[in-house]
Every structure is written in C-alpha cells, then in structure tokens.
Amino acid sequence: MRFLSILFFFLVGFFGYAQVTITGVILDENGLPLRDAHVHIANKTTSTDANGSYVLSGIPKGKQKLYISFIGYHAIEETIEISTDLTINRQLKLDVTKLDDITIRQLSNSKSESSNEQVLKSATIEKFSNQTLGEALKEVSGVSILKTGSTIVKPIINGLHSNRVPIINNNVRLEDQQWGTEHAPNLDINSAGKITVIKGASALQYGGDAIGGIVVIEPELIKKDTLVGKTILNLASNGMGGSLSSSLQKGNRYGWSWNALGTFKYLGDKETPDYMLSNSGNREQNFSGGIRYAQEKYNFNAMYSFYNAQIGIIKASHIGNVNDLYNSINKQQPSVIEPFTYSIDAPKQEVQHHLAKVNYQRWLSENASIDFQYAFQFNNRLEFDVRRSSANNDKAAFDLQLATHTFLADYKTNIGNWRLKSGLNLGYQNNFANPKTGVRPLIPSYEKLDAGLYGIAVYKFDNATSLESGIRYDFSTIEATKYYLKSRWTERGYDAEFSHFIVGEEGNQWLTKPTFDYHNITANIGFRKQFHHEMEWLVNVSLASRNPNPSELFSDGLHHSTGQIELGDLRLEKEQAYKFNTTFNKDWKSFRIQINPFINRISNFIYLQPTGFETTIRGAFPVWEFKQTEALLAGFDVNTKWEISNHFSHELGMAYVNGQNLSTNEYLIDMPPFVINNKIQYKNESWFNFVGELKSETVFRQNQFPNYNFETNIVVNNILTPVIVDISSPPNGYHLLHLYSEMTFKINKRNSLTTSFSIQNIMNTTYRDYLNRQRFYADEMGRNVQIQLKFNY
C-alpha cells in the first residue's frame, strides 16, 4: 500500500509549475508557409503543419532558448524572455550552400525511460540471417540462450526465460511459448529491422508478466519516396546448406506504401568435431508483408507473416528408458551416429505460425494520438516421435492448434512536461489438442480470456532529468478440458482439493474441467538523470506478476525430444517478482562503459526439477516436475567499448547471475554461468569499407547448481545393479574463437554488394553447454564456415 501511495503521488503531482503556450507561423524566403519545420523552445519540440503553424504548450516562464530549423535554410537560434502566452512568427532564409550529403538522425525513441535498453540494429541482425533470434540476442550482454539441440533456441535475460521474457513482434505479442522450454520463437529473424532488449518489467504497455525482460522486434522502417530492396545469400559448411532472403519495399510520404520479404532456409545434419549429429537438419519457408496508407492526420497499416519450419531432433536423444540416459551421460557418446543426410526423420517438429494484424492510428492534436489494433495468430505444432509401429511414424504424437485474438487501444499525449500513455487490451485464446494422434496429449485443450488496463506517466524536469511511473491491472481466466488417469489423479493428491473439477468418467480416467482466475497488479517507478561529462544514471523498481502457463499446470506425459516425463501441478500459484535494476553509463572521448546490476526477489518461482524416474510400458524414464519456491536472483552485466584508434576498437561484455532457492537454501537449476566476451575490430573505409572482427567467448563452468541426482537399477551383465544417474552436474567450461569480416563494393550510385566471411568455433573445440537440454546426449556443433553475399538495390 505504501508503494502504491508513492506511485499515486508521482502520477498526480507536479502540476503547480508556471507554464505558457507559444504559437506562431514559420514562412520561407517567399513568404509561403513551411511545412515540417522543426521548432524547439526550452525542452519542447514540434513541427509546423501545412499552414506553417505550430503550437507549443507547457513552456516554463523566464529566459528560454528558441531554435527553428528546416533543411536547406539557415537555422534561427535566439534567447527569448517569456512571461505570458506569446505568438512568435519567423521567416527562414535560404541556405545556398551546396549539399553533397544529408544525414538524418532520429532522436532517442525509448520504450522505457528508466530501464536498461540495448538495441541490435539491422547491420548486426543481418550477420545472423542464417541463424536464430536467440543466437543474435547473444550479442547483448546479459542475454544467454536456452537450447534444445542446435536449432531450438530461446533467449534468457538476467537468468529468466520463456513466458518471463515476452517477445513482441511488430507490436504483437508472440503466442507460442505456452507449451514448454523446447519451443523456439516462431519468427524469421530476417523480418526484423531493429531488436530492442529491455531488462526489466517497466514497459507496461506490453504486459505485466515480463519478470525477466522484454524483446521488442520492429520491422525495417519503410523509407519515404523510395523503392529499395535487398537480397541476402548465406552458405554454411556445418549443415552443408544455407538460406536465401529477399525483400522489397516501396515508400511514399502520403498514400500507399508496401513491403514484402521471403526467406528460404535448407540445412542438413550438423556436425561436432568428432561425429555427426544425426537428424539435426532444419528447413524454413517464411513470408511477411505489409501495406500502409498514410495521410496527414491518420494512417492505417496491415501486415501478415507466415513462418513454416521443420526441425529435426537428434536421434540420440530418443532414449528408450533410464538405462539409455545413464549410459549416455557416462559414456559421453551419442547412441546413434549415422552418415550425413539432408533427410529429417522422426523425432522432429513441424511448426506453422500465422500472424495478421490491422492497425489504425489517428492524431487528435499536435500532442495526442490514439491507436487501435486487432491481431490474429494461429500456431499449429506437430511433434513426431519414433513409434513402435513404423506405420504410425507419419502421424504426429502431438498436434496442438493455438488460435489467439487480441485487441489493443493506446492513447498517448503530451501535457506540459508530462508524457502520458494509457491503454487496454482484450484477448481470447483457444488451444485444441487433436485427440486423433493416438497419444495422450501432453498439453490439453483449453480456452483463455485476458483483459488488461495500464497507465504510464513520464515527467521531464528538463532534458537531463525525468521520472517515470506506471501501473497495470490484468485479469485472466483459463478453463481446460483434460483426462487424468485415476491413478495419476490420486498420486498427485488432487482428490481432496480438486474433486469439483471432475465432470465425467471414462474407464480408468477422470474427465476434468480445471478453471482458474487470476487478478494481477503490476507497477514500476523509475528515474533517469543525465549528469555533466556524459554520465547517465538509470534506476527502476518494478513489481511484476506472472500466471502459471498451461504446460506448468497441466503437463502430463513423455517428451521424447528431451527423453523425460513432465508433470504439471494444479496447485501452482502466480509468480510475483520485485526487481531493482540500475544502470550507470559513462562516456569518455574514446571509452564507454555501462554497468547494470540487478536484484530480483521472486515469490512462488516456478521451475522444472528432476525428481526420479517412472516406469511405463516403454521402459523407465526420468520424471521432471514443476515446483514452486521462494527465489532470489542477483547479478550484473558490464559492457565497455574502447576506440583504440581510427581503425581499431575493442568491446568487452561480462554477465553474472546468482540464483538462490531460498526455501531449500540451494542454488536454482538452469542458471547461466559466468560469461566473458571480448571482441577486437579493425575498420578501414578505404579498403572497400573493410571490417574484420575476432571474438573470444569464455563460458565458465557453472559451479552453482542443485543436486537432483537419483538412484535406479540398470542391467549390467544380466544383473540389476544400483547406480546414481548424474543428471545435475554441469559440463566443463569452454572457450571459443569466432572470426567475422566483410567488404562493401559500390556498384553504382544506388546499388552495392557486401561480401562477408565468418568462422564460428575456429579451433573446432569440443564442448557441451549447461543450458542445452540435450547436453546429456551429444556435444555442441563444431567449426562452421559461412559466406554471405548481400545485394542492396
């Protein structure tokens, strides 16, 4: 309550400042109105309309700086005395200086005023055109990746992943992570023009459950009055394949604009330094496109994207029982090694994801706008296991169809020194678990309704100091339809607590309809201060809440991709995280440093814990159960950049996370180990814009882990022998070197060709990664040589 009181104070205070409104008209040398002239008074900015008029309100009284500019004209800069509302008209004079080049720079457009944001721009994203979103996000300090094999990759921010790190694609939250950790984000990285990582829950407009952080993916900005395109061809030695991605966009200042992009990816089996990762190939066929109609006061846009992927799961991970798991861990050798092939057999995943949205934005005044958006997503996930009957190998073991409808409304306005944003969201989701697979669904059919309201206020004391606060309320209800084996229902102890969920009976199963309602409050307050000598300090305190997702509540079955039985728990309660996050930035002439410590106290933290094994008709499999505990995560990220000379630069990134299970006084499972990255770069524009980079990646062994080993009996020389299955010990640390180089050749005034050559894991190092769910079965990929050709036109 005390926190909310403080929050309310910041939201409603600061209205007592003496402020005035200034209006005027800006004309050209002929006395005609200048449209889109830039007007800047005190810390307020605006642009003139078609009549050359402008309005700036909330200007403090006293002496203030006036600055007016327009490309091709002499700027006006003067000091004015303000005591009451004023009309200031000015006439600009033509600047006859010949312009060889024009550089346009966009002012900072932060998603959050007080949280640490790091941005991957298109040049960096294009390097990863042949890889995954998770691989690209590793370029951001403090971001690790959780992998299932070499292709299924999810980002981890400050030790947290999956639903705790929402991914916002083109202002639509991707709905495809509800079913567990081995589901990669379903999007084509080539469709991204900019990726922003926000380390914290402060961007409340995107939801209140971002306990770890948020990844915001924005498409490439369509340039006005242009027709441009690019084609990127990638070839990779490891997997003996590549990708081809081509895009085209036509932009108009007003009227219709459009863009389209297609990507085709084809890779065969990957290879470690010592053996082939059999059945690790992958394919993608992706398309995205959009249209936009813009006028002075409004614009309308619509987009559609289609992601279609086939992903092989290495055969060695398809264990038959716990004996296979024990042997795999102790022998450190895959049970299946076959010659290279492009074929993808079971076990495998086939995923199709459709995303369509329409958006309407209208400017209500110079300082206010309103947005309406409807989005539809349809995700069809098919997972194929190796079945005992080969006749069924073409039939998916899991067939999940997730349809999601969302509606958003956002209102933004500037009032004096205040920047206000508020909005609402409504959502309906339906998951259909196809019963014709012949396998008990791991995730049941369910329906989910969401509704949320938020308000964010930013107060700018001046250009160097601002205060941000926000609050959000969310309601969710979920109803599932699920069959439970009576033995499982009793074993889980659901008899007494959840008998009201039973609606029917069929043989040895209960038909249940579990229903849960959640009410969540999320809030944050933050501060930003820019000091002299180019030093900046950000601080943010946030409260975030996350409901248990369907896999955590209802999982009940075998995952062959990881060879484990997963069990959800109907008793799981929502997580609540209290996070303190601060960032120090300091720029010297040639050296920049950023330090970002954080501490995150999470109540009811949900995690997946190995608890033993269970014998089925197919053998004995390890059992992993979703558990809940009190947790504390703390750590820091450090980034530096040193411009050594005109040609050489060095970058350093370090990340450390300590995760504590406060209930058992143990470490948390699956926390990222300490990582240090060093990169030295050489650039020389006179050598066809040559860029050469050597990157060192050092991952230390994770020594902070819980002991969840279990004992079982395996057959040794026809005798049942008790053994310890070491499912907990992390692999050794490792060090990798990566090389990247590129040159750009100007073909003519509009066209250019960029060629790049890169080697990942130059030394062909053999290693296993603690955060790879398949580390028990095989090593990581070895050396990978890649060639990229990028044609801009």
Side-chain angles (χ1 to χ4, degrees):
M1 182 59 72
R2 185 178 180 185
F3 174 79
L4 293 177
S5 301
I6 296 172
L7 187 62
F8 179 79
F9 168 79
F10 284 121
L11 284 170
V12 303
F14 301 102
F15 279 110
Y17 281 76
Q19 296 169 341
V20 301
T21 297
I22 298 178
T23 59
V25 176
I26 307 302
L27 306 174
D28 66 10
E29 76 281 5
N30 298 315
L32 299 175
L34 264 179
R35 178 175 179 163
D36 292 333
H38 173 77
V39 182
H40 189 160
I41 303 175
N43 59 352
K44 303 291 182 181
T45 61
T46 190
S47 299
T48 54
D49 61 17
N51 299 317
S53 301
Y54 71 92
V55 178
L56 278 174
S57 55
I59 306 295
K61 293 179 179 179
K63 287 186 178 180
Q64 301 294 347
K65 290 284 187 183
L66 165 67
Y67 181 81
I68 303 171
S69 64
F70 190 85
I71 294 175
Y73 288 80
H74 288 288
I76 293 175
E77 186 172 3
E78 57 190 71
T79 301
I80 54 177
E81 181 72 34
I82 300 174
S83 58
T84 184
D85 291 350
L86 285 178
T87 297
I88 301 177
N89 302 323
R90 291 291 185 271
Q91 187 170 15
L92 300 183
K93 295 180 179 178
L94 197 63
D95 185 354
V96 297
T97 303
K98 183 179 178 181
L99 299 176
D100 291 326
D101 296 292
I102 298 174
T103 300
I104 300 174
R105 293 181 179 175
Q106 185 178 12
L107 294 174
S108 174
N109 186 24
S110 299
K111 308 288 184 302
S112 169
E113 193 74 20
S114 59
S115 279
N116 182 306
E117 290 186 11
Q118 289 179 272
V119 176
L120 294 182
K121 298 181 180 177
S122 59
T124 303
I125 296 169
E126 287 169 356
K127 290 182 183 177
F128 295 88
S129 169
N130 197 36
Q131 301 181 58
T132 66
L133 171 67
E135 296 283 354
L137 290 174
K138 278 181 69 180
E139 293 292 294
V140 177
S141 178
V143 177
S144 307
I145 55 175
L146 182 72
K147 297 195 291 185
T148 302
S150 55
T151 308
I152 302 171
V153 183
K154 307 184 81 161
I156 303 176
I157 298 178
N158 292 157
L160 300 172
H161 56 80
S162 299
N163 272 23
R164 301 182 182 104
V165 181
I167 295 173
I168 312 299
N169 181 20
N170 210 330
N171 205 40
V172 180
R173 177 175 174 145
L174 273 184
E175 296 289 346
D176 58 357
Q177 299 197 79
Q178 290 85 341
W179 301 321
T181 56
E182 62 284 357
H183 304 156
N186 295 321
L187 64 88
D188 177 12
I189 190 171
N190 292 287
S191 65
K194 175 184 172 186
I195 301 175
T196 304
V197 175
I198 305 172
K199 297 176 181 175
S202 58
L204 292 178
Q205 67 267 36
Y206 299 119
D209 57 352
I211 290 175
I214 300 173
V215 177
V216 181
I217 298 166
E218 297 169 89
E220 197 157 357
L221 192 65
I222 299 178
K223 300 177 179 66
K224 294 178 180 176
D225 300 324
T226 55
L227 175 62
V228 297
K230 66 181 174 185
T231 296
I232 303 176
L233 172 66
N234 295 283
L235 299 173
S237 65
N238 205 327
M240 297 181 66
S243 66
L244 179 66
S245 181
S246 190
S247 64
L248 194 63
Q249 59 177 238
K250 175 74 173 72
N252 294 314
R253 185 170 188 175
Y254 293 110
W256 292 100
S257 303
W258 56 267
N259 69 296
L261 178 144
T263 298
F264 177 72
K265 188 180 293 185
Y266 195 94
L267 288 154
D269 287 343
K270 313 300 187 306
E271 189 177 6
T272 74
D274 303 311
Y275 48 79
M276 200 65 67
L277 293 167
S278 297
N279 203 48
S280 60
N282 63 298
R283 317 261 193 279
E284 284 184 28
Q285 307 85 34
N286 309 318
F287 169 80
S288 62
I291 57 172
R292 179 174 182 267
Y293 182 76
Q295 289 298 317
E296 184 180 353
K297 294 291 186 182
Y298 68 91
N299 70 64
F300 165 85
N301 68 76
M303 63 84 62
Y304 167 75
S305 74
F306 174 60
Y307 173 85
N308 185 29
Q310 304 84 46
I311 303 168
I313 306 295
I314 60 170
K315 291 183 179 178
S317 69
H318 182 84
I319 61 174
N321 51 51
V322 75
N323 291 24
D324 294 345
L325 175 61
Y326 175 81
N327 290 330
S328 180
I329 292 173
N330 288 278
K331 292 180 179 177
Q332 292 284 294
Q333 185 81 5
S335 58
V336 180
I337 300 176
E338 296 175 346
F340 173 85
T341 178
Y342 288 104
S343 298
I344 299 177
D345 300 320
K348 63 179 179 179
Q349 299 180 357
E350 292 184 2
V351 182
Q352 292 188 340
H353 191 92
H354 302 261
L355 189 160
K357 79 158 191 181
V358 290
N359 178 280
Y360 175 77
Q361 182 181 35
R362 184 171 190 86
W363 279 267
L364 305 175
S365 68
E366 288 290 332
N367 298 312
S369 67
I370 189 165
D371 283 50
F372 299 100
Q373 178 176 293
Y374 165 77
F376 172 71
Q377 296 177 73
F378 181 74
N379 190 292
N380 185 198
R381 164 169 289 271
L382 302 173
E383 296 191 3
F384 298 82
D385 285 337
V386 178
R387 300 203 184 202
R388 286 185 295 176
S389 169
S390 59
N392 287 325
N393 272 351
D394 292 334
K395 181 187 288 187
F398 298 147
D399 182 354
L400 302 177
Q401 299 167 25
L402 182 72
T404 307
H405 304 260
T406 54
F407 172 78
L408 307 177
D410 292 293
Y411 174 73
K412 304 169 194 169
T413 187
N414 295 327
I415 302 174
N417 287 5
W418 290 89
R419 191 171 76 231
L420 305 173
K421 186 186 293 185
S422 59
L424 64 87
N425 73 279
L426 301 170
Y428 168 73
Q429 191 170 76
N430 178 282
N431 179 61
F432 174 67
N434 191 345
K436 297 180 180 178
T437 60
V439 176
R440 285 173 53 80
L442 180 66
I443 306 294
S445 297
Y446 64 85
E447 290 184 300
K448 184 165 171 276
L449 286 170
D450 297 297
L453 290 167
Y454 77 89
I456 299 170
V458 177
Y459 183 81
K460 283 186 172 292
F461 296 93
D462 50 46
N463 283 336
T465 310
S466 59
L467 182 69
E468 176 187 44
S469 65
I471 190 165
R472 181 182 177 101
Y473 166 75
D474 285 284
F475 169 75
S476 294
T477 181
I478 182 170
E479 180 186 87
T481 301
K482 180 175 174 59
Y483 283 96
Y484 276 95
L485 289 171
K486 292 179 179 176
S487 56
R488 178 77 78 197
W489 185 263
T490 304
E491 171 220 309
R492 303 295 290 167
Y494 292 158
D495 314 59
E497 294 180 70
F498 302 114
S499 60
H500 59 287
F501 289 156
I502 298 175
V503 295
E505 181 179 6
E506 191 171 309
N508 63 344
Q509 299 182 96
W510 294 121
L511 173 59
T512 66
K513 283 191 177 294
T515 304
F516 297 97
D517 295 335
Y518 300 98
H519 299 267
N520 293 326
I521 295 289
T522 310
N524 78 78
I525 185 166
F527 179 76
R528 170 184 169 271
K529 176 66 179 176
Q530 178 81 42
F531 297 94
H532 293 297
H533 310 296
E534 298 178 323
M535 187 168 71
E536 185 182 49
W537 177 43
L538 309 174
V539 60
N540 186 277
V541 181
S542 62
L543 163 66
S545 301
R546 184 184 75 89
N547 304 326
N549 65 40
S551 67
E552 293 163 340
L553 289 169
F554 307 121
S555 284
D556 181 9
L558 179 63
H559 247 163
H560 275 290
S561 62
T562 50
Q564 62 192 39
I565 292 172
E566 291 181 2
L567 296 179
D569 194 333
L570 297 178
R571 304 179 192 86
L572 294 179
E573 299 179 1
K574 64 184 178 185
E575 292 181 340
Q576 286 196 302
Y578 305 86
K579 185 171 185 178
F580 173 80
N581 181 17
T582 187
T583 304
F584 299 93
N585 292 313
K586 178 72 175 81
D587 282 317
W588 285 273
K589 188 174 181 181
S590 58
F591 187 78
R592 182 174 191 270
I593 185 169
Q594 180 184 82
I595 302 173
N596 173 217
F598 69 93
I599 184 166
N600 199 353
R601 174 70 168 82
I602 306 176
S603 293
N604 300 321
F605 177 77
I606 299 172
Y607 64 103
L608 194 57
Q609 174 186 325
T611 56
F613 65 93
E614 182 175 302
T615 302
T616 72
I617 59 173
R618 305 183 64 179
F621 292 91
V623 176
W624 293 60
E625 293 185 44
F626 286 99
K627 301 277 189 177
Q628 218 158 23
T629 188
E630 297 299 299
L632 181 67
L633 281 74
F636 63 85
D637 306 326
V638 176
N639 298 290
T640 67
K641 184 167 185 179
W642 178 24
E643 300 289 346
I644 302 170
S645 68
N646 290 336
H647 297 299
F648 283 98
S649 64
H650 173 266
E651 293 182 35
L652 167 72
M654 291 190 295
Y656 170 77
V657 180
N658 179 294
Q660 292 282 341
N661 184 332
L662 300 179
S663 302
T664 61
N665 201 26
E666 295 177 305
Y667 293 110
L668 289 173
I669 192 172
D670 289 340
M671 286 292 115
F674 182 46
V675 176
I676 300 178
N677 291 320
N678 280 281
K679 183 169 71 178
I680 189 160
Q681 183 184 74
Y682 177 80
K683 296 175 70 172
N684 194 328
E685 293 184 0
S686 60
W687 296 357
F688 299 102
N689 289 311
F690 174 80
V691 176
E693 296 176 354
L694 183 64
K695 182 177 178 180
S696 159
E697 179 182 358
T698 305
V699 179
F700 289 76
R701 184 177 187 271
Q702 178 56 281
N703 293 316
Q704 301 172 342
F705 62 94
N707 184 351
Y708 294 137
N709 297 340
F710 60 89
E711 185 177 319
T712 186
N713 294 318
I714 66 170
V715 178
V716 180
N717 297 325
N718 295 321
I719 300 173
L720 276 179
T721 305
V723 295
I724 299 293
V725 181
D726 184 3
I727 208 165
S728 304
S729 298
N732 292 328
Y734 56 89
H735 174 249
L736 306 178
L737 285 174
H738 312 293
L739 173 72
Y740 177 84
S741 63
E742 70 171 38
M743 298 178 81
T744 299
F745 303 92
K746 201 82 175 175
I747 299 173
N748 53 43
K749 192 173 182 180
R750 294 177 56 88
N751 305 329
S752 65
L753 174 67
T754 299
T755 62
S756 68
F757 174 80
S758 62
I759 308 176
Q760 295 171 314
N761 192 0
I762 297 172
M763 307 305 290
N764 208 20
T765 302
T766 300
Y767 68 103
R768 296 192 179 194
D769 192 288
Y770 177 58
L771 297 176
N772 191 333
R773 304 295 302 278
Q774 293 186 340
R775 72 177 189 274
F776 305 119
Y777 312 113
D779 295 334
E780 298 285 335
M781 276 176 52
R783 183 185 296 120
N784 187 21
V785 179
Q786 294 192 94
I787 295 173
Q788 184 183 87
L789 302 176
K790 183 178 70 175
F791 184 42
N792 286 307
Y793 42 88

